Amino acid sequence: MSVQRVGDASLPPDGLARPVLRNETLIVLALSLGASALSSLISFVGSLTKTGPLKEQAATLNGSYAPGRPWLDLSWQLFGIASALVPVLLVAHLLLREGSGLRAIGFDRTRPWPDLGRGALVAAGIGSAGLAFYLAARATGFNLTVVPESLPEVWWKYPVLILSAIQNSVLEEVVVVGYLLRRLGQLGWTPMAALVASSVLRGSYHLYQGIGGFVGNMVMGVVFVLLYRRWGRVGPLVVAHALLDIVAFVGYGLLAGKVDWLPTV
C-alpha cells in the first residue's frame, strides 16, 4: 500500500486514513479514559442526588479490595495497576505501526535527566496551587472530600500507593496528551480544538470529585498540553504527574488525622 507523509507520521491514503484513525482513537478512549469520564459523570450525578452536601461525601482514590485479607488485597491491587496500563501498550503498538513507537510522543529513555528536572519543577509549581484550589472548592461546597487512600496498615501500603501514582501518570499523559493530540492533529483538528478536547477530557474523568476536581484538572490539562507542545515530550509530564500523586497519596497516609488543615471523613 502506498503511503503519504502527514507531519511526522506515515499514514495510508486519505480515503482510508481518517475513518481508520477516528475509529482507532474512539476505541482507545472507550477502553481507557473515555470510559472513565462516563463513569465519573454517573458518579457525580449520584453524589448530587444524594442527601447531604458534597463536602460531607467522600471520593476514595485507593481503597481496599479485600478488607481483612491482605494477600488477596495485594493481588487485586497489583492486578488493577497492571490491567490499567493495557491501553498504554495498545497505544505503543499503534504508534509502532507507524514506525516510531512511543518515542514519537517523547516517552522514552533518551533524555532522562531533563525529563526528571522539568517534571520536578512542574510538580512543584502545580502542587501547592492545586492543594489550595481543592481546599477552597471543598470549603465552598463544590467538591467532595477527596480521600487519596484508605488502605490497611500493611507492609505493602506505600509501595502500592507509589505504583498506583506511576500508573495514573503513565496512562493519562500517554493517552490524553501524547496519543490524543497526535491523532487529533492527523485528523485535521486545529491546535486549539485539540487542546480543548484533551483538557476537557482530563477534567471529565475527575468529575467524580466534584466541580472543583473537574475545573482544576481541566486547567492542569491546558498547562500540560502547552508544555508538551513546547518540549515535544510527555516524559516530563509523566514525572510531574507521578510526583504530584505520590505526594498526595503518601502524604495523606502519613498526615490524615494528624493535621487540622487536611480534610478527612
Side-chain angles (χ1 to χ4, degrees):
M1 184 187 304
S2 62
V3 296
Q4 63 180 12
R5 290 282 176 178
V6 178
D8 59 355
S10 296
L11 299 175
D14 288 342
L16 179 62
R18 294 202 176 194
V20 169
L21 291 181
R22 182 191 64 238
N23 293 340
E24 171 198 297
T25 304
L26 291 174
I27 290 170
V28 169
L29 293 179
L31 292 173
S32 58
L33 295 166
S36 296
L38 180 57
S39 173
S40 187
L41 174 61
I42 295 171
S43 178
F44 181 58
V45 171
S47 297
L48 286 177
T49 55
K50 186 176 180 179
T51 303
L54 288 179
K55 67 179 182 180
E56 293 181 4
Q57 301 178 43
T60 302
L61 308 188
N62 295 281
S64 176
Y65 291 113
R69 305 182 67 183
W71 286 105
L72 180 61
D73 200 350
L74 175 60
S75 299
W76 278 117
Q77 297 290 341
L78 296 177
F79 171 77
I81 291 169
S83 60
L85 289 173
V86 172
V88 176
L89 297 179
L90 176 58
V91 166
H93 167 75
L94 295 170
L95 295 178
L96 188 61
R97 185 183 59 185
E98 299 178 21
S100 56
L102 291 175
R103 72 175 181 273
I105 59 174
F107 189 52
D108 53 28
R109 295 177 292 177
T110 59
R111 304 186 64 189
W113 296 115
D115 286 352
L116 287 170
R118 287 170 170 173
L121 289 174
V122 173
I126 290 180
S128 56
L131 177 59
F133 181 79
Y134 159 68
L135 294 175
R138 180 185 178 277
T140 53
F142 288 102
N143 222 72
L144 285 75
T145 297
V146 177
V147 180
E149 69 86 18
S150 61
L151 296 177
E153 294 296 331
V154 290
W155 65 268
W156 49 258
K157 173 178 178 175
Y158 292 107
V160 161
L161 289 175
I162 292 171
L163 289 175
S164 177
I166 294 172
Q167 172 256 299
N168 288 341
S169 63
V170 172
L171 174 64
E172 293 186 36
E173 306 318 324
V174 168
V175 173
V176 178
V177 178
Y179 172 77
L180 184 59
L181 291 179
R182 183 177 178 83
R183 285 295 183 256
L184 293 181
Q186 291 168 332
L187 289 169
W189 287 46
T190 66
M192 179 57 71
L195 180 148
V196 171
S198 175
S199 303
V200 170
L201 175 59
R202 186 188 294 268
S204 296
Y205 57 76
H206 288 93
L207 188 58
Y208 68 92
Q209 299 175 10
I211 297 298
F214 172 79
V215 173
N217 280 279
M218 186 171 62
V219 172
M220 176 177 162
V222 172
V223 173
F224 273 28
V225 168
L226 295 177
L227 291 176
Y228 173 68
R229 287 176 173 164
R230 180 178 180 84
W231 295 330
R233 297 183 59 78
V234 298
L237 308 183
V238 170
V239 171
H241 193 151
L243 290 175
L244 288 169
D245 280 6
I246 288 171
V247 171
F249 297 170
V250 174
Y252 186 89
L254 295 174
L255 297 177
K258 299 177 183 178
V259 294
D260 294 335
W261 55 265
L262 185 62
T264 57
V265 291

